[in-house]
Amino acid sequence: MEHECWGVVLAAGQGSRMAQATGGEAKQFLPYRGAPLWWHPARAMAASPLVHGLVFVFPAGRLDAAEAQALALNAKESLGVPLRFAEGGERRQDSVRHALDVLPESCESVLIHDGARPFLRTALVTKVAAALREGGISGVIPGVPVTDTVKETDASGLVARTPERETLRAVQTPQAFMLSQLREAHARADAEGWSVTDDASLLERCHLPVLVVDGDRDNVKITNPRDLALLSEQKPLLPCCGYGYDVHAYGGNRPLTLGGVEIGGEFLILAHSDGDVLLHALMDAVLGCFAGGDIGRLFPDSDPAFDNVSSVVLLDRVMTLAAEANVRLVHVDLTVVAQKPKLAPKADAIRRNVARLLDLPLDHVAFKATTEEKLGFTGELRGIKAVALVTALRQG
């Protein structure tokens, strides 16, 4: 017989911290894409092949109305699993205990999720449930690495300890537990007067093993008024790309610079600005992502203001225009064509500097240098070329 797992959607909180920003409405009941927040994680949980039913926990004063709303939503868009309902308690752990009381006898494990986490993905539900089914543990919880340094303080506010950040995880839901062990932990909490913020804490106090698996950074909880912006309808991000090409002749008086890195040597550039052919191609490629024109129109060589100006300064202006057009760069692929000088010794420095200028991870910046086998303009050492391909995301 298949292991039976049920999900619990906790939607019984009062939302006092958000009351002023929401007009008094509890956050889990806020409308989002045609349904209250608590309905969205229910969809994600029910879509997992490892979830066999759902329990909704609503505040006592609105249990009947919320149950009717859930049944109406399910009639319109069936979740495909049986639904049960429970009345919330004074504390979160009381609400969980009430949910456990209405689970069927056939249920062996349970997934407990916060109704104010509407961005839950089914993949995370299945990951957590599957890890519990592998056996040998009492609970499985998702967590994401902590990016800020955390300080532990004493009662007076003085720093007592700085935990190793590499060992810390910010915990999310759904949290999966073997039902019999979770019930025993709740019974002990009631008997001994424990008050905890999540069910994993109960198992930890009972010295039962709880595994942390990788969570999902998008699985955020609507907690503070500023989080309400996450519920606003956003235009979709659409992929776009831009192509840039530039060429400069040798024989001028500008030192050769590529990607903001001074190359030096005998080859001097003929140019109005600093003649950084690579950044010029890159700027045109970025502009191409939002039909922003080209650098010849933005920074004409007839304008004395751009005489010997650094291309890094011009690139900063182009990136500002891209941001104003809601364009976010994802990847750049750059190629320089030159017979001489040899650029291999500077390739890594160029790549790293471009990544810094664009605020991109290093593995999202590609740089290559090649020759035209002594043919044509570059092969005859008359100048240097560069091409750039940019991929980006833009709000439609």
Side-chain angles (χ1 to χ4, degrees), residues 148-209:
D148 295 325
T149 297
V150 176
K151 302 289 185 181
E152 183 179 319
T153 62
D154 60 18
S156 64
L158 294 175
V159 173
R161 190 172 69 91
T162 303
E164 288 292 333
R165 189 169 60 187
E166 291 74 15
T167 66
L168 299 177
R169 295 294 181 270
V171 173
Q172 304 175 324
T173 62
Q175 299 185 353
F177 306 98
M178 298 305 300
L179 181 55
S180 61
Q181 293 173 317
L182 182 60
R183 279 179 168 151
E184 291 173 4
H186 271 277
R188 186 173 172 186
D190 285 346
E192 301 185 22
W194 299 347
S195 184
V196 297
T197 56
D198 74 345
D199 296 275
S201 301
L202 292 179
L203 270 68
E204 293 161 30
R205 294 187 69 164
C206 293
H207 305 290
L208 294 171

Side-chain angles (χ1 to χ4, degrees), residues 23-374:
E25 179 62 286
K27 59 191 175 185
Q28 67 272 22
F29 286 92
L30 292 172
Y32 177 57
R33 295 185 176 179
L37 289 196
W38 50 258
W39 184 251
H40 297 277
R43 281 175 175 159
M45 296 177 83
S48 171
L50 302 185
V51 174
H52 298 82
L54 291 175
V55 176
F56 292 93
V57 187
F58 294 124
R62 60 193 303 177
L63 175 60
D64 292 342
E67 179 177 340
Q69 185 179 22
L71 294 175
L73 287 167
N74 194 53
K76 183 179 179 181
E77 175 199 350
S78 176
L79 296 180
V81 297
L83 307 181
R84 296 192 177 191
F85 301 90
E87 181 181 292
E90 183 178 343
R91 302 170 299 173
R92 183 186 189 277
Q93 67 195 70
D94 299 325
S95 295
V96 172
R97 191 179 69 255
H98 293 174
L100 302 186
D101 290 341
V102 303
L103 289 171
E105 292 184 5
S106 55
C107 180
E108 298 171 79
S109 63
V110 63
L111 286 161
I112 299 172
H113 186 70
D114 298 322
R117 290 185 188 268
F119 310 117
L120 177 65
R121 293 187 174 101
T122 300
L124 182 60
V125 177
T126 302
K127 177 197 290 186
V128 172
L132 184 68
R133 289 177 65 160
E134 291 179 5
I137 47 179
S138 302
V140 177
I141 60 177
V144 295
V146 173
T147 56
D148 295 325
T149 297
V150 176
K151 302 289 185 181
E152 183 179 319
T153 62
D154 60 18
S156 64
L158 294 175
V159 173
R161 190 172 69 91
T162 303
E164 288 292 333
R165 189 169 60 187
E166 291 74 15
T167 66
L168 299 177
R169 295 294 181 270
V171 173
Q172 304 175 324
T173 62
Q175 299 185 353
F177 306 98
M178 298 305 300
L179 181 55
S180 61
Q181 293 173 317
L182 182 60
R183 279 179 168 151
E184 291 173 4
H186 271 277
R188 186 173 172 186
D190 285 346
E192 301 185 22
W194 299 347
S195 184
V196 297
T197 56
D198 74 345
D199 296 275
S201 301
L202 292 179
L203 270 68
E204 293 161 30
R205 294 187 69 164
C206 293
H207 305 290
L208 294 171
V210 177
L211 175 69
V212 179
V213 297
D214 288 339
D216 180 354
R217 290 199 181 276
D218 291 334
N219 180 30
V220 298
K221 185 177 181 181
I222 304 302
T223 305
N224 300 302
R226 64 176 178 272
D227 297 331
L228 296 177
L230 299 172
L231 304 179
S232 61
E233 291 294 333
Q234 301 264 340
K235 291 183 178 180
L237 289 176
L238 303 176
C240 57
C241 64
Y243 175 81
Y245 170 87
D246 198 43
V247 57
H248 280 295
Y250 290 150
N253 58 1
R254 310 293 195 212
L256 178 59
T257 300
L258 294 172
V261 175
E262 187 170 329
I263 307 301
E266 60 182 300
F267 295 97
L268 301 178
I269 296 296
L270 181 64
H272 181 66
S273 67
D274 66 357
D276 190 327
V277 67
L278 184 60
L279 290 189
H280 292 181
L282 174 59
M283 285 187 278
D284 272 345
V286 173
L287 291 166
C289 291
F290 56 99
D294 59 66
I295 59 174
R297 272 187 279 173
L298 290 176
F299 316 116
D301 58 13
S302 58
D303 189 336
F306 302 120
D307 182 28
N308 200 30
V309 67
S310 169
S311 294
V312 171
V313 174
L314 304 182
L315 176 62
D316 183 68
R317 172 59 180 156
V318 168
M319 293 302 293
T320 298
L321 294 174
E324 291 172 352
N326 295 315
V327 170
R328 176 169 61 85
L329 268 60
V330 174
H331 191 90
V332 299
D333 192 0
L334 310 170
T335 302
V336 171
V337 183
Q339 193 67 39
K340 288 185 179 180
K342 297 298 182 185
L343 297 177
K346 296 286 189 176
D348 188 59
I350 293 171
R351 183 170 168 243
R352 290 182 179 278
N353 198 52
V354 171
R356 179 185 65 83
L357 294 174
L358 300 180
D359 194 23
L360 283 175
L362 188 59
D363 60 356
H364 285 244
V365 176
F367 173 76
K368 294 153 288 184
T370 188
T371 72
E372 289 182 309
E373 301 295 337
K374 299 184 179 180

